Amino acid sequence: MESLDKSIGMYMSSVNRKLLRFLSLNLKMYNITTEQWSVLLHLLEKDGINQKQLSKEVDKDQATLVRILDILEEKKLVVRQKCIEDRRSFLIHSTEKGKNLTNQIYPCIEDLFSKIINDIPENQLNLFIDTLNLIEKNINLEEEKISWKKLQKN
């Protein structure tokens, strides 16, 4: 019998690496990484989001997000503005250049994903997405249990 780690965990990891390589290859012509793209994509939907919330939504720790934002600021694709209500936090905005680049990249990425999911019936795709959501939910629950146990030990 094959282990679940080998049949599920490693396979998901392998597909994820291939997907990231494929996206990286296609984003290279825009001089942008997949991590930078995920930030720009979130700003397309939630321009002016605070940095802490953006960190959660793109699933990057604060230090990693700061490095990504530094690069995006150098490229003049985003700006950080102090939050009026809380001067310790920043709101992240796309610049016009950032919005233009995002609008240029977005259709290309959508086309790539259309090709990736080609020939997958909609019901299977919906089931796949639901399954991934359940896996993520279960991971979050297990992480909370581990965090709770650590708190109890201290």
Side-chain angles (χ1 to χ4, degrees):
M1 181 173 110
E2 191 171 20
S3 78
L4 291 175
D5 179 37
K6 193 171 184 181
S7 65
I8 296 173
M10 290 184 187
Y11 191 64
M12 284 176 59
S13 181
S14 172
V15 171
N16 185 55
R17 281 192 307 275
K18 285 180 183 179
L19 178 62
L20 289 174
R21 274 196 311 269
F22 183 66
L23 289 175
S24 292
L25 184 67
N26 285 278
L27 289 170
K28 198 172 207 159
M29 70 176 99
Y30 299 102
N31 190 29
I32 196 163
T33 66
T34 56
E35 290 84 9
Q36 293 164 12
W37 172 243
S38 71
V39 169
L40 288 175
L41 184 59
H42 270 79
L43 292 177
L44 181 67
E45 299 165 358
K46 295 182 181 177
D47 199 41
I49 189 173
N50 91 27
Q51 189 169 317
K52 195 173 214 174
Q53 185 62 36
L54 181 60
S55 172
K56 288 178 187 172
E57 292 193 18
V58 296
D59 196 25
K60 301 287 180 206
D61 61 62
Q62 288 283 344
T64 301
L65 180 62
V66 166
R67 286 192 299 275
I68 293 168
L69 290 173
D70 287 345
I71 293 166
L72 290 173
E73 257 188 334
E74 282 177 27
K75 293 179 179 184
K76 306 215 181 312
L77 300 173
V78 303
V79 292
R80 287 179 263 209
Q81 297 177 335
K82 288 221 183 246
C83 180
I84 295 170
E85 294 86 33
D86 180 2
R87 290 185 294 161
R88 295 171 298 167
S89 68
F90 290 93
L91 302 178
I92 313 303
H93 294 273
S94 285
T95 63
E96 275 306 307
K97 183 178 178 182
K99 289 175 186 169
N100 290 338
L101 181 63
T102 303
N103 289 327
Q104 184 182 359
I105 294 172
Y106 189 86
C108 298
I109 297 298
E110 287 297 299
D111 184 55
L112 290 175
F113 273 93
S114 292
K115 291 173 183 170
I116 290 170
I117 64 169
N118 188 35
D119 293 332
I120 300 174
E122 187 176 349
N123 64 330
Q124 282 187 347
L125 194 56
N126 289 335
L127 179 60
F128 174 69
I129 291 168
D130 290 345
T131 304
L132 287 176
N133 283 325
L134 283 172
I135 290 171
E136 182 179 32
K137 178 184 165 199
N138 290 339
I139 290 169
N140 290 340
L141 287 172
E142 291 303 314
E143 284 178 338
E144 286 176 22
K145 287 179 189 175
I146 291 168
S147 295
W148 179 250
K149 286 178 185 176
K150 284 182 181 179
L151 280 174
Q152 286 179 326
K153 285 183 180 180
N154 293 334

